[in-house]
Amino acid sequence: MSKSKKGRLAGLEKRKAIAGYLFISPFILGFLIFMVRPFFHSLYMSFCEVQLGPAKFDLVWKGLYQYNWAFRVDPEFGRLLGSEMLRMFVYSFAIIVFSFFIALILNQKFKGRALVRTIFFLPVILSSGVMLGIESNNELISSIMASVDNYQTGPDITKALQEILRTTGVGVRAFETVFEVINNIYDVALASGMQIIIFLSGLQTIPRSMYEAAEIEGSTAWESLWKITFPSISGLFLVNWVYTVVDFCMRSDNEVIDKIKTIMGRLNYGASSAMSWAYFLCIAAYLALSTFIISKRVYYYD
Amino acid sequence: MTKSKEARQDFWERNRKSGGYLLRKRITKVGLSICRFLLLFGLCFLILQPLLSKISVSFMAEKDLYDPTVNIIPAHFTLSNYGVAKEIMGYWKAFRNSMVISLTISILQIAVCTLVGYGFARFKFPFKKFWFACVMLIIVIPPQVISNSLFINFRFFDIFGIIRAVTGKPLNLQGSVIPYYLMSAGCMGLKNGLYIYMIRQFFRNIPVDTEEAAYVDGCGMFKTFRKIMLPEATPIITSCFLFAFVWQWTDGFYSDMFLGTTPLVSTSLARVVDGISAYIQRITGIKTTVSVAYSDAILSAGTLMIVVPVLLIYLFAQRKFVESISSSGIKM
């Protein structure tokens, strides 16, 4: 603002700056004490052996020992990390596509829209926290599903379609992934409540007149989707992508987190720090890379 | 009657004039809405089905669970599952604790987040961009990364060695609620970065004029905030509060880590399945293994008991939840 008067701001501005700092001071304090410090402390811990005493704990420098242990001694960790990252990629992609699609439908006018919206946002509440973990290991349902699958010998369109696609022999792995996502569409639907709201709020800001003008000019709905809708809300893809990935890390059915918790429960804090740091670095690299790729394609209209 | 007949005739007339275009358009429209209905109906059913099946299972007596002819409607209607689930979870105690903790925590979090969000939205100060980037950072960094260090630091809690000097040993805050309150006061609770972000977006959309008028009339910074800006922001604050409450209610991660010894509904639910056999052994004195079906019925009852309060809040304040996101106009 007043760059000419470097260092000494004029009366009101200075007071405003001080007031601003006062307003955000809780955040700064909390950030330094409960974020920055533990952040580096846990980084340090991951290079150490943590020895617990009755009234204190000691950190003994061990170098890369804990990382070595996590990846090469522990039988599961490397495998879990790999499968979890792959799952994260597939699911975040599916969630984004699904929520965009649903938001497009919910943005149209039809009877009972309010009810449908209520139901679709229900997972924001229902699938949070502990509910999800309980949902996913519902043994009775899965055993019933298995027995139903066994008894069902009649014609099954989905299965037949899957068989046909499998026998084409092209990109079988990719098809398998798609089938897996389709079979777990319930998980996808549950995880995409918030993303649908965000997309919907973006869709509602696009002026109707824009579509009308396009229609008069002879553009089809399909063309308007790509030329109007997509560019207008492309920024939200980035927001939703980040939200989805972060949300995925917080899920209670995350196997890597379970593993870290188990190790932590054995009071092996050094190893658990190393594991959480390895996990964090993977996610950070993944987020940075994907955000970079997406933000290249985001269209900023202002 | 005649009117609809006329309308129909009119329609065919117009259709003939347009060369069949009108009819084709009408058919596509109807076809599309039928497809949409089927799709949405299926997806809604998909989302609701687990809830519905939980409701039906939770009212079944144990023999219904093994009876293949009993599918949805219980043949022997019973409330005993709820009784058992209540006993195992210690429901009312956990409910009270959860209520108190969720309420106080979410009020504290939203109060602090409102202050911070306002500070970010309305003031210019050096390094503002940097601090806001830090807010983004706390949204993105999964709390699992720092949980180790937080855990061990609260286990041996000390402020610059003061407590050690006074009492001879550091304070053990593990299992106590104090650390979580401290963290909430510093905006480091569950999803607090998101609340700051949403509140800031909302404040940014309020025109500056009102505020400046207040300054001109000699109103102080904090008074302006309290008297003028806060009433404006009631919608976003209520909805953030609702989010905070509901997410705190069902949260397992923070509750598990910091509030491990305080019985809460969310943590007690996770222990229900393990608790059943111990409970039966305590009552009958016989060591038994509980069948999957029965433990599932109990679990369903327990889940419903936890979900229902939240569900009621959601149904009453549904508009608030959805509108908060729309009104904050999330952009990047």
Side-chain angles (χ1 to χ4, degrees):
Chain A
M1 183 91 166
S2 55
K3 278 216 172 107
S4 53
K5 294 181 252 169
K6 247 182 212 164
R8 105 194 135 77
L9 300 163
L12 181 64
E13 269 176 30
K14 192 174 175 184
R15 269 188 27 226
K16 272 200 143 185
I18 293 171
Y21 262 107
L22 280 182
F23 270 112
I24 67 160
S25 59
F27 170 75
I28 296 180
L29 278 179
F31 184 70
L32 292 178
I33 299 172
F34 297 116
M35 198 53 153
V36 176
R37 210 179 86 92
F39 192 70
F40 289 109
H41 190 237
S42 81
L43 178 63
Y44 181 64
M45 266 162 71
S46 71
F47 291 111
C48 292
E49 165 107 45
V50 182
Q51 290 169 341
L52 292 173
K56 63 183 169 56
F57 64 96
D58 294 312
L59 299 173
V60 182
W61 182 262
K62 282 273 196 159
L64 281 173
Y65 168 78
Q66 302 288 12
Y67 287 93
N68 225 340
W69 189 86
F71 281 104
R72 299 178 61 181
V73 178
D74 190 88
E76 289 180 320
F77 183 70
R79 183 177 58 79
L80 286 181
L81 190 64
S83 68
E84 201 66 23
M85 294 304 286
L86 188 70
R87 208 164 77 101
M88 184 152 86
F89 174 72
V90 173
Y91 274 86
S92 4
F93 191 73
I95 287 169
I96 292 288
V97 173
F98 179 82
S99 54
F100 179 63
F101 184 64
I102 294 297
L104 278 182
I105 293 178
L106 290 189
N107 197 34
Q108 295 165 353
K109 282 204 172 61
F110 56 88
K111 264 183 203 152
R113 184 167 69 156
L115 180 70
V116 175
R117 278 192 187 183
T118 311
I119 293 173
F120 268 98
F121 301 148
L122 203 60
V124 176
I125 311 295
L126 284 192
S127 73
S128 59
V130 284
M131 302 303 166
L132 196 69
I134 285 158
E135 212 62 71
S136 65
N137 56 30
N138 198 333
E139 289 174 57
L140 182 68
I141 299 294
S142 55
S143 65
I144 288 175
M145 289 289 272
S147 62
V148 167
D149 273 355
N150 282 339
Y151 282 118
Q152 213 168 40
T153 46
D156 183 344
I157 300 174
T158 346
K159 240 179 211 158
L161 206 64
Q162 287 188 7
E163 276 310 311
I164 293 169
L165 287 172
R166 265 194 203 111
T167 46
T168 54
V170 188
V172 177
R173 283 289 297 274
F175 278 133
E176 291 293 341
T177 320
V178 173
F179 298 153
E180 197 206 313
V181 170
I182 291 173
N183 285 338
N184 292 323
I185 189 80
Y186 174 66
D187 283 340
V188 175
L190 273 197
S192 50
M194 199 65 162
Q195 287 86 331
I196 294 175
I197 305 183
I198 294 177
F199 272 136
L200 209 56
S201 70
L203 286 177
Q204 276 162 358
T205 60
I206 305 174
R208 234 36 11 248
S209 55
M210 205 122 81
Y211 290 104
E212 279 159 15
E215 206 184 334
I216 289 166
E217 297 286 340
S219 115
T220 58
W222 179 248
E223 278 164 351
S224 333
L225 171 70
W226 288 100
K227 303 279 182 198
I228 298 173
T229 315
F230 226 70
S232 314
I233 63 163
S234 62
L236 293 180
F237 277 92
L238 195 60
V239 177
N240 270 343
W241 181 261
V242 173
Y243 185 86
T244 311
V245 171
V246 173
D247 206 41
F248 201 90
C249 307
M250 280 293 287
R251 281 165 71 117
S252 46
D253 65 341
N254 191 322
E255 281 175 329
V256 177
I257 298 298
D258 270 356
K259 177 80 192 163
I260 293 172
K261 263 193 192 156
T262 330
I263 300 284
M264 220 165 119
R266 289 189 212 136
L267 302 179
N268 194 346
Y269 290 105
S272 62
S273 303
M275 283 179 180
S276 30
W277 261 86
Y279 184 49
F280 171 64
L281 287 182
C282 286
I283 290 167
Y286 173 69
L287 255 184
L289 191 71
S290 53
T291 314
F292 177 73
I293 294 171
I294 296 173
S295 62
K296 283 260 158 184
R297 289 165 192 276
V298 167
Y299 172 74
Y300 292 100
Y301 53 94
D302 49 11
Chain B
M1 192 68 198
T2 46
K3 216 172 200 177
S4 68
K5 211 172 186 181
E6 263 167 39
R8 213 178 297 147
Q9 261 175 1
D10 186 43
F11 173 78
W12 287 113
E13 181 71 15
R14 276 160 63 209
N15 180 41
R16 198 173 50 76
K17 274 181 187 156
S18 68
Y21 175 76
L22 196 59
L23 182 65
R24 247 179 306 159
K25 196 165 180 189
R26 181 64 66 88
I27 288 174
T28 356
K29 207 174 152 194
V30 171
L32 272 182
S33 62
I34 289 174
C35 287
R36 187 171 58 204
F37 171 76
L38 288 177
L39 187 75
L40 287 180
F41 183 80
L43 285 171
C44 285
F45 182 72
L46 189 80
I47 292 171
L48 287 181
Q49 191 265 338
L51 201 62
L52 298 177
S53 81
K54 277 208 179 61
I55 293 174
S56 84
V57 166
S58 71
F59 285 117
M60 286 183 191
E62 198 179 348
K63 56 185 163 190
D64 284 6
L65 296 167
Y66 310 119
D67 189 345
T69 58
V70 176
N71 214 346
I72 298 166
I73 299 165
H76 303 84
F77 184 86
T78 173
L79 287 172
S80 70
N81 291 337
Y82 285 91
V84 174
K86 195 184 85 193
E87 281 294 309
I88 294 171
M89 294 199 298
Y91 183 69
W92 290 115
K93 198 166 168 234
F95 184 85
R96 245 195 335 268
N97 280 333
S98 266
M99 205 49 145
V100 170
I101 285 183
S102 302
L103 260 182
T104 46
I105 288 267
S106 47
I107 288 175
L108 181 65
Q109 284 181 348
I110 296 307
V112 178
C113 287
T114 311
L115 284 178
V116 175
Y118 181 68
F120 274 119
R122 284 303 207 211
F123 292 100
K124 281 206 180 80
F125 46 86
F127 302 116
K128 186 172 153 181
K129 282 239 168 82
F130 168 74
W131 289 117
F132 197 67
C134 293
V135 175
M136 294 283 113
L137 213 61
I138 65 166
I139 298 179
V140 172
I141 294 179
Q144 281 87 354
V145 178
I146 56 164
S147 63
N148 274 308
S149 168
L150 281 177
F151 193 73
I152 205 162
N153 271 312
F154 285 128
R155 172 72 185 76
F156 304 102
F157 187 74
D158 213 338
I159 310 165
F160 307 123
I162 297 170
I163 294 169
R164 189 188 293 268
V166 175
T167 60
K169 61 171 195 273
L171 216 55
N172 182 2
L173 286 182
Q174 191 188 325
S176 130
V177 291
I178 299 166
Y180 197 49
Y181 279 99
L182 285 177
M183 283 178 74
S184 300
C187 301
M188 292 299 133
L190 179 70
K191 302 206 182 183
N192 279 7
L194 191 68
Y195 306 145
I196 294 180
Y197 187 76
M198 273 161 55
I199 292 173
R200 167 193 173 254
Q201 290 296 69
F202 190 87
F203 273 125
R204 264 160 58 122
N205 292 340
I206 299 176
V208 206
D209 309 352
T210 43
E211 214 180 349
E212 271 171 2
Y215 286 148
V216 170
D217 286 346
C219 198
M221 305 264 177
F222 192 74
K223 205 175 171 193
T224 313
F225 168 67
R226 203 165 50 91
K227 287 264 158 90
I228 295 174
M229 300 309 271
L230 215 51
E232 292 271 316
T234 340
I236 191 79
I237 292 171
T238 10
S239 37
C240 276
F241 169 74
L242 286 173
F243 270 120
F245 181 80
V246 165
W247 277 335
Q248 187 59 46
W249 181 268
T250 55
D251 166 65
F253 180 73
Y254 283 96
S255 312
D256 226 23
M257 208 167 72
F258 298 121
L259 315 170
T261 51
T262 320
L264 295 175
V265 284
S266 54
T267 42
S268 61
L269 182 63
R271 295 190 204 113
V272 164
V273 178
D274 305 324
I276 295 172
S277 57
Y279 172 76
I280 289 177
Q281 196 182 346
R282 206 175 67 223
I283 290 180
T284 59
I286 308 160
K287 195 171 168 61
T288 47
T289 46
V290 185
S291 75
V292 176
Y294 188 60
S295 68
D296 192 76
I298 301 291
L299 187 62
S300 301
T303 314
L304 280 177
M305 280 159 79
I306 287 174
V307 163
V308 163
V310 181
L311 209 59
L312 287 179
I313 295 177
Y314 176 69
L315 290 182
F316 276 112
Q318 185 252 124
R319 203 154 272 247
K320 285 234 149 46
F321 279 99
V322 178
E323 269 173 11
S324 66
I325 314 280
S326 320
S327 66
S328 69
I330 287 181
K331 266 188 202 119
M332 220 173 198

